[in-house]
């Protein structure tokens, strides 16, 4: 297909059903902001409110229904994980849609308003889960690619059950949970699903070489099974996983209270952080807010134990002559220190990601993290002391000297090039990029305070802000140049974070929220001239480029991994594209389609025509869908940036395509984001901007 030829180029998606678009309230709001009205109807202003564009969580009912229990009574792990949800009818009840679209922004999209029925015990009725008897056919269980040989023992399953029962307040619930709690085989399967998933994450902190499954705290095992159940595509199992997480969330503080010395127990601190990990990206407003409220607890525990300082980590040197007990002791000391180190950096990445997601201050400062960066994966994944010794001597770790810290990298990024053979380079890069977010956040805070409200006075009028912006851009550009040497080391995950940082440097996402109605129509009207001026600037084109690159790297994610924070990054990129498309098209309604101009794919490779677009605005900016894998039709859908609805459709497809095949259901947070992107696209279409 010749994408530059007007004869062959067609919009990728059909127009929405106009019955579904009858009087959508956010569309009315958008029309009022963009176009002057002859009459002001104050009652209508109260009705037509902005869409909560960053509200990708919901208050979905997590209760198990009769149908769920029917499934569970005949539950078979192999069959359950192959279960496909029936497709829902695309028709939308307008009253329900109106309730979703009419979000009064005085109620923050991140603020949870508890009802009388909201307690920590509400989900206990979800815990009964009938499975095949522990003596049943092992062939019925899902064959998980196990990363450890251990199997969960029945005594460990009973300890998990005892923890859950201790939290049940009603005897009827306690009896039902005891009678219908999952079998040992089921719990073992979910724990191994979590362990396999954890192995794939950048900030892995479980040391598999010394890991003993049945030696873990019951709370640790319970929340590991919870995470595994949540990772399955079956709604019933997900609800059980969330209920299990809620029970552990309530019981784990007792472990610290009964003996305060337990705050130095890494197993319990890990379990506490796992509870929060499940809640943070659950897609449920209540769980997300509760998790965020408690993020600082494990941070404080580690901070006051000195785990942020270099002095807590003794430099271990292994000699060729080390054998037996001496070698075992050195290995044990090393992996215990490395486990704490990695847990600290996991907390740091998570803290920065919550800040990027919710635009709040981080709880951890990059300046306080003087501990060494994580050591190489070869050392970390050594299964025995002998393997550790072999990897240590082979890497010449003894000659490396003092390993760098995050603070050192922020001073001199070239240290990554000189020390990369002695570091977990992917983890170190991720830590560095998240450290830069804190500096970008500081810049954005200063910019919010000092920038003029006048649309004619921009960033460059303030010498301090403009100098800081240029410095941050230079730092990230230097990193990109260095990263060319580590092409294989810079994964899609780090690439998304990199372009998200660069996008935030070129557009204020808070302005996008204001435009969408965060503080009502008056503030949306106030920010519109600023965004109108921004939409014609080189900064806007840079922001669009980085938004497109986020989509590009999202399409490169391994199947089933574009979720949690990375799905939120795709959402932010889509919001940037949507706002520019709406504002640019409303500002220049008479501008022609420009069919004679070359298409510039924002989600493509860097090329000379891309630089012409970024510098001079030449070309038609567009993005492409992920395409269809397999079959004859492999051409991806194409949408111009001037078509907000088409861009939202492409972003939706990027999120959906990562979970293709039917066996991997979309995570709840992805479903919420996709639903929101569809609403944004339809709203732009309804006011003639799609």
């Amino acid at each position: 297909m010749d994408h530059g030829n007007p004869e062959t180029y067609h919009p990728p998606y059909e127009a929405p059903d106009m019955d579904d678009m009858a009087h959508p309230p956010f569309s009315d709001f958008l029309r009022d902001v963009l176009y002057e009205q002859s009459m002001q109807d104050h009652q209508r202003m109260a009705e037509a409110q902005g869409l909560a564009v960053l509200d990708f969580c919901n208050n979905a009912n997590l209760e198990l229904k009769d149908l769920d229990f029917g499934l569970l009574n005949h539950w078979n792990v192999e069959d359950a994980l192959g279960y496909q949800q029936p497709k829902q009818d695309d028709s939308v009840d307008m009253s329900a849609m109106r309730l979703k679209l009419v979000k009064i922004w005085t109620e923050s999209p991140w603020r949870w308003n508890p009802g009388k029925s909201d307690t920590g015990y509400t989900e206990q009725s979800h815990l009964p889960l009938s499975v095949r008897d522990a003596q049943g056919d092992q062939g019925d269980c899902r064959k998980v690619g196990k990363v450890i040989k251990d199997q969960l023992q029945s005594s460990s399953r009973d300890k998990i059950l005892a923890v859950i029962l201790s939290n049940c307040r009603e005897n009827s619930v306690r009896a039902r949970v005891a009678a219908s709690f999952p079998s040992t085989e089921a719990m073992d399967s979910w724990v191994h699903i979590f362990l396999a998933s954890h192995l794939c994450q950048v900030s892995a902190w479980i040391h598999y070489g010394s890991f003993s499954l049945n030696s873990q705290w019951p709370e640790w095992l319970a929340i590991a099974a919870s995470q595994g159940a949540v990772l399955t595509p079956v709604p019933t199992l997900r609800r059980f996983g969330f209920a299990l997480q809620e029970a552990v969330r309530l019981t784990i503080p007792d472990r610290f209270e009964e003996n305060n010395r337990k705050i130095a127990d890494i197993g319990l601190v890990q379990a506490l952080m796992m509870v929060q990990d499940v809640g943070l990206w659950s897609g449920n407003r209540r769980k997300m807010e509760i998790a965020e409220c408690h993020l600082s607890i494990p941070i404080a525990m580690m901070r006051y134990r000195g785990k942020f300082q270099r002095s807590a980590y003794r430099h271990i040197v292994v000699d060729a002559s080390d054998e037996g007990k001496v070698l075992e002791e050195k290995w044990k000391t090393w992996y215990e220190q490395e486990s704490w180190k990695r847990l600290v950096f996991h907390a740091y990445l998570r803290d920065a990601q919550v800040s990027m997601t919710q635009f709040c201050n981080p709880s951890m400062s990059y300046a306080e993290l003087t501990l060494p960066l994580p050591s190489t994966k070869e050392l970390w994944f050594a299964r025995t002391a002998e393997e550790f010794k072999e990897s240590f001597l082979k890497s010449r770790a003894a000659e490396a000297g003092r390993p760098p810290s995050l603070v050192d990298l922020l001073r001199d990024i070239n240290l990554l090039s000189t020390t990369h053979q002695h570091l977990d380079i992917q983890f170190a890069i991720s830590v560095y990029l998240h450290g830069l977010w804190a500096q970008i956040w500081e810049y954005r805070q200063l910019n919010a305070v000092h920038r003029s409200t006048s649309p004619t006075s921009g960033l460059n009028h303030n010498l301090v802000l403009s100098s800081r912006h240029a410095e941050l851009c230079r730092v990230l550009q230097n990193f990109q140049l260095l990263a060319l040497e580590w092409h294989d080391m810079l994964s899609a995950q780090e690439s998304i974070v990199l372009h998200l940082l660069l996008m935030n440097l070129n557009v204020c996402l808070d302005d996008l929220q204001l435009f969408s109605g965060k503080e009502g129509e008056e503030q949306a009207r106030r920010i519109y001239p600023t965004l109108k001026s921004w939409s014609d600037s080189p900064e806007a084109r840079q922001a669009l480029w980085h938004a497109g690159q986020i989509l590009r790297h999202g399409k490169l994610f391994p199947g089933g991994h574009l979720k949690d924070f990375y799905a939120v990054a795709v959402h932010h990129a889509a919001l940037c594209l949507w706002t520019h498309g709406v504002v640019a098209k409303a500002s220049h309604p008479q501008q022609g389609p420009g069919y004679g101009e070359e298409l510039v794919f924002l989600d493509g490779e860097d090329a000379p025509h891309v630089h012409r677009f970024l510098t001079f605005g030449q070309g038609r900016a567009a993005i492409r869908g992920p395409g269809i894998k397999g079959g004859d039709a492999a051409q991806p859908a194409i949408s111009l940036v001037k078509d907000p609805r088409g861009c939202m459709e492409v972003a939706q497809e990027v999120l959906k395509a990562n979970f293709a095949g039917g066996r991997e259901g979309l995570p709840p947070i992805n479903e919420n984001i996709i639903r929101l992107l569809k609403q944004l696209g339809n709203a732009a279409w309804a006011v003639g901007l799609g």
Side-chain angles (χ1 to χ4, degrees):
M1 178 185 292
D2 183 4
H3 302 309
N5 187 342
E7 301 291 334
T8 60
Y9 173 76
H10 301 283
Y13 302 101
E14 297 294 331
D17 188 341
M18 295 313 295
D19 290 337
D20 289 346
M21 299 309 301
H23 308 298
F26 180 63
S27 305
D28 293 341
F29 168 84
L30 192 60
R31 184 183 293 110
D32 289 345
V33 172
L34 295 173
Y35 310 116
E36 293 294 333
Q37 304 296 316
S38 58
M39 297 179 63
Q40 292 296 328
D41 186 344
H42 295 288
Q43 182 178 359
R44 185 165 178 274
M45 287 175 60
E47 293 178 355
Q49 297 291 335
L51 180 66
V53 295
L54 295 184
D55 185 8
F56 44 78
C57 50
N58 63 24
N59 292 312
N61 186 0
L62 298 178
E63 286 192 27
L64 296 180
K65 303 175 183 177
D66 292 339
L67 178 62
D68 298 324
F69 283 108
L71 169 66
L72 298 176
N73 287 334
H74 303 282
W75 181 68
N76 171 300
V77 177
E78 179 73 30
D79 295 338
L81 291 174
Y83 172 79
Q84 296 185 21
Q85 300 183 52
K87 293 184 179 180
Q88 297 181 353
D89 187 359
D90 288 336
S91 61
V92 181
D93 180 80
M94 288 312 301
S95 61
M97 176 173 281
R98 186 178 182 85
L99 290 175
K100 283 185 175 292
L101 290 175
V102 182
K103 293 282 188 178
I104 301 176
W105 265 94
T106 52
E107 299 178 6
S108 169
W110 288 103
R111 186 175 301 154
W112 165 55
N113 296 316
K116 291 182 179 179
S117 61
D118 289 325
T119 72
Y121 305 94
T122 304
E123 297 181 56
Q124 287 185 353
S125 60
H126 313 172
L127 290 168
L129 186 67
S130 298
V131 296
R132 292 186 180 273
D133 187 79
Q135 303 300 320
D137 185 4
Q138 291 295 322
D140 289 340
C141 292
R142 181 178 187 261
K143 296 177 177 58
V144 180
K146 296 185 176 182
V147 295
I148 60 170
K149 295 180 180 179
D150 294 2
Q151 289 188 339
L152 190 71
Q153 298 174 356
S154 58
S155 58
S156 296
R157 180 261 187 191
D158 294 340
K159 291 177 183 178
I160 296 173
L161 177 58
V163 169
I164 304 306
L165 293 178
S166 69
N167 190 50
C168 296
R169 297 196 299 180
E170 299 180 7
N171 290 332
S172 59
V173 174
R174 188 177 295 110
R176 193 177 182 194
V177 171
S180 305
F181 200 69
S183 66
T184 304
E185 287 76 13
M187 298 294 286
D188 177 72
S189 175
W190 296 328
V191 169
H192 279 88
I193 289 173
F194 160 70
L195 291 174
S197 173
H198 178 84
L199 190 64
C200 299
Q201 76 179 42
V202 176
S203 56
W205 40 260
I206 296 176
H207 186 249
Y208 291 98
S210 61
F211 183 78
S212 175
L213 181 61
N214 294 288
S215 299
Q216 303 302 312
W217 288 91
E219 290 83 358
W220 197 104
L221 296 173
I223 192 59
S226 167
Q227 291 205 50
V230 168
L231 287 170
T232 67
V234 185
T236 299
L237 301 186
R238 285 179 174 175
R239 279 191 284 271
F240 169 79
F242 286 131
L244 194 58
Q245 180 260 359
E246 188 72 11
V248 178
R249 183 184 69 80
L250 294 174
T251 57
I252 198 168
D254 293 337
R255 291 291 189 182
F256 296 107
E257 292 296 341
E258 67 187 17
N259 185 348
N260 293 160
R261 296 181 65 183
K262 293 292 192 298
I263 60 176
D265 188 304
I266 191 170
L268 281 178
V269 179
Q270 287 174 347
L272 178 59
M273 293 181 66
M274 291 159 68
V275 169
Q276 296 170 358
D277 287 343
V278 174
L280 273 177
W281 311 112
S282 65
N284 179 267
R285 185 192 304 272
R286 175 182 175 274
K287 287 183 176 292
M288 294 175 80
E289 181 172 327
I290 291 175
E292 184 189 353
C293 290
H294 292 83
L295 284 182
S296 61
I297 295 176
I299 291 174
M301 288 177 176
M302 293 186 287
R303 176 183 285 127
Y304 289 111
R305 305 286 77 73
K307 301 303 181 183
F308 293 2
Q309 281 77 50
R310 180 179 294 272
S311 58
Y313 303 90
R314 185 163 60 91
H315 186 52
I316 305 296
V317 177
V318 177
D319 298 320
S321 59
D322 290 338
E323 300 287 346
K325 187 177 180 179
V326 173
L327 179 59
E328 289 287 344
E329 285 297 322
K330 286 188 176 182
W331 183 48
K332 181 181 179 181
T333 301
W334 182 89
Y335 70 66
E336 286 178 349
Q337 291 184 166
E338 188 73 11
S339 296
W340 276 113
K341 184 197 302 183
R342 286 172 171 263
L343 195 62
V344 168
F345 283 122
H346 173 70
Y348 183 68
L349 298 192
R350 188 179 67 172
D351 184 49
Q353 289 170 0
V354 170
S355 175
M356 282 186 262
T357 300
Q358 305 188 24
F359 305 103
C360 60
N361 287 323
S363 299
M364 299 173 70
S365 167
Y366 53 84
E368 65 179 331
L369 298 180
T370 60
L371 73 165
L373 289 166
S375 297
T376 63
K377 289 181 179 179
E378 288 75 18
L379 292 176
W380 177 243
F381 289 127
R383 295 281 180 167
T384 64
E386 288 71 22
E387 283 186 26
F388 172 73
K389 174 184 174 181
E390 181 182 354
S391 297
F392 189 94
L393 296 176
K394 185 178 180 181
S395 65
R396 296 184 176 182
E399 303 174 12
R402 178 180 179 270
S405 66
L406 170 60
V407 174
D408 295 327
L409 288 190
L410 292 174
R411 290 195 197 102
D412 182 10
I413 186 58
N414 290 296
L415 286 173
L416 271 182
S417 296
T418 57
T419 61
H420 73 274
Q421 292 181 341
H422 308 290
L423 300 174
D424 183 337
I425 191 65
Q426 186 183 10
F427 202 166
I429 288 173
S430 189
V431 170
Y432 173 75
L433 291 174
H434 285 76
L436 288 180
W437 162 252
Q439 298 186 25
I440 293 173
W441 172 250
E442 291 167 354
Y443 159 75
R444 277 293 166 205
Q445 293 291 91
L446 283 172
N447 188 40
V449 171
H450 295 294
R451 74 172 179 179
S452 171
T453 57
S454 170
T456 59
S457 59
L459 180 67
N460 293 330
H461 290 196
N462 187 302
L463 182 59
V464 174
L465 288 175
S466 122
S467 173
R468 185 56 177 156
H469 181 271
E471 175 65 16
L472 290 171
C473 289
R474 184 190 63 80
V475 168
L476 284 168
Q477 288 167 359
N478 288 345
F479 172 80
Q480 286 182 291
L481 291 175
L482 283 174
L484 293 175
E485 303 174 11
W486 322 315
H487 180 69
D488 296 333
M489 301 178 187
L490 197 63
S491 72
Q493 292 170 309
E494 286 71 59
S495 296
I496 277 189
V497 176
L498 170 63
H499 288 286
L500 184 62
L501 297 179
L502 287 162
M503 189 181 78
N504 273 274
L505 270 177
N506 288 284
V507 63
C508 177
L509 281 169
D510 191 52
D511 288 350
L512 309 188
Q513 292 187 72
L514 288 176
F515 177 67
S516 67
K518 177 181 179 181
E519 297 180 13
E521 187 171 341
E522 181 181 351
Q523 290 301 312
R525 285 183 178 278
R526 181 189 65 81
I527 204 64
Y528 176 55
T530 301
L531 289 175
K532 184 178 178 181
S533 176
W534 166 81
S535 67
D536 293 325
S537 67
E539 288 79 10
R541 296 191 290 275
Q542 286 285 346
L544 290 177
W545 168 252
H546 296 299
Q549 291 299 297
I550 290 173
L551 297 182
R552 173 195 171 197
H553 291 288
K555 289 180 279 189
L556 298 176
F557 259 59
H561 285 75
L562 186 57
K563 58 185 179 178
D564 301 340
F565 168 72
Y566 301 102
V568 176
V570 170
H571 171 233
H572 285 190
L575 179 60
C576 177
L577 293 166
W578 179 85
T579 303
H580 186 275
V582 168
V583 173
K585 201 162 187 179
S587 303
H588 308 288
Q590 305 302 323
Q591 187 172 351
Y595 285 130
E597 295 184 283
E598 183 179 12
L599 282 178
V600 179
F601 289 109
L602 301 176
D603 52 354
E605 297 281 350
D606 197 0
H609 67 280
V610 172
H611 289 277
R612 288 195 295 270
F613 168 76
L614 295 176
T615 306
F616 306 111
Q618 296 177 1
R620 292 182 295 156
I623 57 175
R624 291 170 289 198
I628 302 174
K629 296 181 180 179
D632 297 330
Q635 283 289 349
I638 298 174
S639 175
L640 296 175
V641 173
K642 291 181 179 179
D643 178 10
R645 180 176 177 270
C647 288
M648 295 307 95
E649 293 283 2
V650 168
Q652 292 173 60
E653 290 305 316
V654 170
L655 291 170
K656 291 177 183 177
N658 192 254
F659 292 84
R663 293 185 61 85
E664 295 177 309
L666 286 171
I669 196 169
N670 289 44
E671 292 179 350
N672 297 339
I673 292 174
I674 288 171
R675 187 181 305 114
L676 176 59
L677 296 179
K678 183 176 181 179
Q679 292 172 352
L680 284 171
N682 288 345
W685 180 276
V687 296
L689 299 175

